[in-house]
Amino acid sequence: MADKSDKPEKAKKEQKQEAPAAEAAPAQKKGGKKEKATKPAEGAEAQHGKKQPKIKKAEEKAKDEIKYIVRIANTDLDGTSTVQYALTGIKGIGLRVSKVIARKAGVDPNAIMGYLSAEQVDRIKNVVDNIDTSLPAWMLNRRSDIYTGENRHLLGTDLILGVKEDINLMKKIRCYKGIRHERGQKVRGQRTRSTGRTGATVGVIRKKEAPAAAAAGAGEKKEEKK
């Protein structure tokens, strides 16, 4: 009889021993899949056989290395815009000329100006400094100069001074365009009947004021007759 009573006590002891072992075992998801390993904290050593999270170092460096102002031909250019549009900030360079300059320098016209290396910027500067020989003759803005007879391309302050000298020359020789410049009127053949009025208007009477002015004039005439 003693043997039968010992059996249930042994079974209870075995159940108690199995319970803590089951709690200590790692929990598993449905379908038998194990939980994903947690990512190591920053500064922790990489564990062998586990993939580490990729850090976008290239993007961080690019953000820090961008130049917001690039100086070419004594002009501050916008570093956040593309090369072809940034070069148009120089007076005397348009979109077509800027594309030619970028291709002559071996730079992508659609690249961001602030991300260019120092070598690429120097190449653009050299092309801009020697722009007379870099562009074809038909693209230059100063062909057959009056004083030298050469084909030139003026930029920046040189272009502003060149335009002023041309206007002064036209005023000196008293040509039609020079006289129009002196009077401050339109030069290129635009109509001036309804626009371009710079001085005081003469001979303009409003419709409402016209009858009152006519009545006043008639009264003055009657008084003179008397």
Side-chain angles (χ1 to χ4, degrees):
M1 295 295 290
D3 295 337
K4 291 180 180 179
S5 61
D6 292 336
K7 286 181 180 179
E9 291 178 1
K10 290 179 180 179
K12 289 179 181 179
K13 289 179 180 180
E14 289 175 359
Q15 288 177 358
K16 289 179 180 179
Q17 290 176 358
E18 289 175 3
E23 291 177 359
Q28 293 183 355
K29 291 185 178 180
K30 292 181 180 180
K33 293 182 180 180
K34 294 182 180 180
E35 289 184 350
K36 293 182 179 179
T38 56
K39 294 181 180 179
E42 293 182 358
E45 295 181 357
Q47 296 179 3
H48 182 68
K50 292 185 179 180
K51 293 182 179 180
Q52 301 298 322
K54 295 180 179 179
I55 300 171
K56 297 180 180 180
K57 292 182 179 179
E59 292 181 4
E60 292 177 0
K61 286 182 180 179
K63 289 179 182 178
D64 296 335
E65 290 176 358
I66 187 171
K67 297 176 183 177
Y68 292 98
I69 294 174
V70 179
R71 192 162 182 82
I72 297 175
N74 297 325
T75 308
D76 294 334
L77 304 181
D78 184 14
T80 59
S81 59
T82 56
V83 174
Q84 59 183 348
Y85 286 103
L87 287 173
T88 57
I90 302 171
K91 192 171 183 64
I93 294 179
L95 189 59
R96 181 182 289 182
V97 176
S98 66
K99 288 180 181 178
V100 174
I101 291 170
R103 288 169 184 166
K104 285 276 184 181
V107 178
D108 183 13
N110 295 316
I112 302 299
M113 193 73 175
Y115 291 142
L116 297 180
S117 62
E119 183 184 354
Q120 291 174 322
V121 174
D122 290 338
R123 278 186 281 169
I124 293 173
K125 287 180 181 178
N126 291 332
V127 175
V128 172
D129 293 339
N130 302 316
I131 195 168
D132 296 344
T133 57
S134 301
L135 298 177
W138 59 269
M139 289 186 76
L140 303 177
N141 61 7
R142 187 76 173 177
R143 298 178 65 185
S144 300
D145 188 22
I146 297 170
Y147 302 105
T148 61
E150 298 176 354
N151 294 329
R152 300 174 59 198
H153 194 89
L154 303 179
L155 300 174
T157 55
D158 294 337
L159 180 59
I160 297 168
L161 293 174
V163 172
K164 286 183 179 179
E165 287 177 2
D166 292 342
I167 293 170
N168 291 331
L169 179 62
M170 287 187 288
K171 289 178 181 179
K172 286 179 183 179
I173 65 177
R174 304 299 294 170
C175 68
Y176 178 77
K177 289 178 72 176
I179 294 167
R180 299 289 287 184
H181 274 294
E182 282 183 353
R183 295 179 179 178
Q185 295 177 342
K186 297 189 177 183
V187 178
R188 299 184 181 182
Q190 299 96 319
R191 65 168 58 210
T192 56
R193 181 177 179 179
S194 58
T195 60
R197 297 185 179 183
T198 55
T201 57
V202 180
V204 178
I205 301 173
R206 294 182 182 178
K207 291 181 180 180
K208 292 181 180 179
E209 295 177 358
E220 290 176 359
K221 287 180 181 179
K222 287 179 181 180
E223 289 178 357
E224 288 176 359
K225 287 179 181 179
K226 291 179 180 180

